[in-house]
Amino acid sequence: MAAGSARIVRYILFAFFFIAVLYFISHSSYDGAGLSPESFGVGKGSSVGGKGSNHDQTSSNPIGSSPGSPSTSHQDLGEAPMAMTPADAGWDNLLGTAPGPRMNATFVTLARNSDVWEIARSIRQVEDRFNRRYNYDWVFLNDKPFDATFKKVTSSLVSGKTHYGEIPKEHWSFPEWIDQDKAKKVREDMAQRKIIYGDSVSYRHMCRFESGFFFRQPLMMNYEWYWRVEPSIELFCDIHYDPFRYMAENKKKYSFVLSLYEYVETIPTLWDSTKKFIKNFPEHIAEGNSMGFLSDDGGESYNHCHFWSNFEVGNLNWLRSKPYLDYFESLDKDGGFFYERWGDAPVHSIAAGLLLKKEEIHFFNDIAYYHVPFTHCPTGEKTRLELGCHCNPKDNFDWKGYSCTSRFFETNGLEKPEGYENQQD
Ligand SMILES: Nc1nc2c(ncn2[C@@H]2O[C@H](COP(=O)(O)OP(=O)(O)OP(=O)(O)O)[C@@H](O)[C@H]2O)c(=O)[nH]1
Ligand SMILES: [Mg+2]
């Protein structure tokens, strides 16, 4: 009898224990949590940056958090040299955490809540081809508050920490010196002429924000390097090394994968404003700059070449420097973000071309990329096979007539990759 009740007590205790374990599991898991960076020994968390504030609030905590600022989120992974070619030690090791130091860097995405599934696709590719081994953070910015679905889906896909910031009104509105009637007439006229996004106010706010404000959002102030990612992009090849570290070690400040000619109807007076800036701030123009990439007549006129800014890996301190800010402020005062439809791509590109030395701009041949409608697929079969690429080399835009990449190689005295001649049309 005594043995029978002891057994019952044991059963009850066991049942309690079982229920407690079930309760614990169901309350500590997070819908859709995917990669666990803890298994690599790297922390992960999620925070929301308040409007105009530098305050990180922990909003959700998918798989356990590691407190502290984004810049302190990575443990010391040693000083291992980067494997840049198949001949280098460690090249074939694409499993587990990549050794070597981490840069103070983040991915950054501007998006609307409705972009969630398109950005999910982009994140998945960035993680699979690169970040699952590096666990860099990701900052999301929006002119409206991010909703729970956006945060839940994106934080489950990113292997580093995620941060969500709301853009303050003054960075996403008409400055007081803009004549609203004049701006409205321009939009109506561009709509009639069927200029893409010509009638859109939000597109203009987006271009102005990307030109002058993303890098000084409170959440971005924690970092030195950024990699911009847009919805619905594709990455076609494995990235075997850390592009942030490559930039830092090789003294690069700005980079691109695709370049092309800007639609001239959107920037008729951008070069006039640029020339005014050059005249007012000659001290900001770098010696050994890339004027040859931007102009065919020594700076008199703009040839419309620009780097496509939906992909960028760059240095935030450069964008926050006086030369860049003076350039942006000078353009902003001239009003072309609203009286025309200046894009952030020509603005960043002209700034990089004039304010940086030409060696500070890097072309990543080995980062294969697609944003509708253009593809950068690395030139050279050997490279594509080594990197496990799945892009069709015929789609590569680099050497086609409407690309400016050939010009970049020529102005920088770089040798074009083997096989480029076969991809010119
Ligand atoms: N929060 C927010 N993000 C926006 C808005 N408009 C555009 N974006 C984001 O800004 C970036 C650029 O916008 P896109 O619409 O992709 O512009 P685009 O690349 O010139 O044109 P597409 O060919 O449509 O991709 C993307 O990351 C968008 O998600 C907006 O009104 N609000
Ligand atoms: Mg886009």
Side-chain angles (χ1 to χ4, degrees):
M1 187 71 188
S5 29
R7 197 179 316 132
I8 289 168
V9 169
R10 267 205 308 278
Y11 284 152
I12 291 170
L13 281 176
F14 183 74
F16 261 120
F17 178 71
F18 186 68
I19 289 165
V21 168
L22 269 185
Y23 179 86
F24 178 76
I25 290 172
S26 65
H27 283 74
S28 64
S29 71
Y30 188 84
D31 281 356
L35 288 172
S36 167
E38 269 64 42
S39 59
F40 308 136
V42 178
K44 168 167 176 163
S46 165
S47 74
V48 178
K51 215 177 190 176
S53 88
N54 203 3
H55 188 69
D56 268 21
Q57 270 170 27
T58 299
S59 69
S60 52
N61 189 5
I63 321 177
S65 71
S66 62
S69 75
S71 51
T72 58
S73 64
H74 294 293
Q75 65 177 40
D76 183 9
L77 294 164
E79 289 299 319
M82 283 194 291
M84 301 295 297
T85 73
D88 299 332
W91 171 267
D92 284 331
N93 181 11
L94 289 183
L95 297 172
T97 306
R102 296 294 184 267
M103 301 299 103
N104 183 14
T106 185
F107 290 94
V108 59
T109 293
L110 172 69
R112 296 156 286 217
N113 287 310
S114 57
D115 292 320
V116 60
W117 299 112
E118 286 72 29
I119 196 60
R121 280 177 49 198
S122 302
I123 297 171
R124 183 76 260 169
Q125 304 220 11
V126 171
E127 287 290 336
D128 288 350
R129 289 297 196 170
F130 169 69
N131 201 41
R132 67 188 167 78
R133 298 176 58 233
Y134 289 86
N135 314 126
Y136 279 109
D137 297 351
W138 207 304
V139 171
F140 296 91
L141 300 170
N142 190 352
D143 56 307
K144 309 248 163 44
F146 279 113
D147 63 26
T149 302
F150 190 97
K151 287 193 253 181
K152 187 165 60 173
V153 170
T154 52
S155 65
S156 76
L157 292 167
V158 175
S159 64
K161 286 187 187 178
T162 48
H163 302 275
Y164 300 88
E166 191 181 339
I167 298 163
K169 194 99 205 114
E170 58 275 22
H171 295 170
W172 195 279
S173 49
F174 292 92
E176 29 89 14
W177 59 86
I178 295 298
D179 176 340
Q180 293 282 346
D181 287 339
K182 183 172 163 186
K184 187 158 174 266
K185 286 202 182 85
V186 168
R187 294 197 299 276
E188 287 164 359
D189 173 58
M190 284 198 176
Q192 280 208 330
R193 290 193 286 143
K194 302 216 170 353
I195 293 172
I196 184 166
Y197 298 118
D199 60 344
S200 170
V201 173
S202 68
Y203 194 85
R204 286 180 170 80
H205 289 320
M206 181 276 285
C207 291
R208 178 171 177 260
F209 175 79
E210 293 286 19
S211 299
F213 300 106
F214 86 89
F215 47 83
R216 28 183 175 163
Q217 297 305 295
L219 288 172
M220 296 302 288
M221 297 305 286
N222 296 314
Y223 300 96
E224 186 184 354
W225 300 95
Y226 73 101
W227 179 333
R228 175 169 163 184
V229 177
E230 281 205 3
S232 298
I233 60 113
E234 291 190 53
L235 287 187
F236 299 110
C237 306
D238 288 330
I239 300 174
H240 285 246
Y241 63 90
D242 179 349
F244 293 122
R245 189 173 163 201
Y246 177 87
M247 298 281 289
E249 290 183 356
N250 292 282
K251 300 191 168 45
K252 306 287 183 189
K253 295 276 163 52
Y254 189 80
S255 66
F256 71 101
V257 288
L258 284 160
S259 71
L260 68 161
Y261 293 94
E262 180 57 305
Y263 189 16
V264 59
E265 303 295 331
T266 65
I267 51 158
T269 68
L270 177 59
W271 196 251
D272 291 337
S273 284
T274 301
K275 286 204 285 190
K276 192 166 92 186
F277 164 79
I278 296 173
K279 198 155 161 263
N280 290 341
F281 295 96
E283 70 278 17
H284 289 339
I285 307 304
E287 252 180 69
N289 60 43
S290 310
M291 184 61 101
F293 177 75
L294 301 170
S295 173
D296 300 343
D297 51 19
E300 191 45 41
S301 64
Y302 180 34
N303 61 21
H304 309 127
C305 277
H306 66 288
F307 309 120
W308 220 22
S309 62
N310 46 64
F311 169 98
E312 289 176 325
V313 181
N315 185 285
L316 292 161
N317 290 338
W318 168 57
L319 294 173
R320 294 188 285 245
S321 71
K322 187 160 167 41
Y324 185 86
L325 291 177
D326 281 343
Y327 180 55
F328 170 71
E329 268 146 40
S330 165
L331 296 184
D332 202 25
K333 285 273 147 48
D334 288 344
F337 291 107
F338 299 102
Y339 299 145
E340 295 178 3
R341 209 220 64 197
W342 294 351
D344 51 283
V347 171
H348 285 188
S349 304
I350 295 173
L354 298 181
L355 309 178
L356 298 177
K357 292 181 191 310
K358 62 178 177 208
E359 319 76 78
E360 291 177 313
I361 303 176
H362 181 63
F363 169 64
F364 278 111
N365 184 43
D366 41 12
I367 300 185
Y369 176 83
Y370 171 80
H371 175 294
V372 63
F374 299 119
T375 297
H376 163 66
C377 185
T379 308
E381 185 180 49
K382 188 167 165 287
T383 307
R384 291 192 300 274
L385 295 176
E386 282 165 3
L387 302 178
C389 303
H390 71 278
C391 50
N392 182 342
K394 285 208 186 88
D395 295 336
N396 184 27
F397 183 66
D398 297 357
W399 316 111
K400 301 213 156 76
Y402 208 61
S403 165
C404 292
T405 300
S406 238
R407 183 186 295 268
F408 177 82
F409 271 70
E410 283 147 24
T411 51
N412 285 268
L414 301 171
E415 200 181 322
K416 293 181 191 161
E418 203 177 311
Y420 85 93
E421 306 92 333
N422 308 326
Q423 294 192 341
Q424 287 173 318
D425 42 43

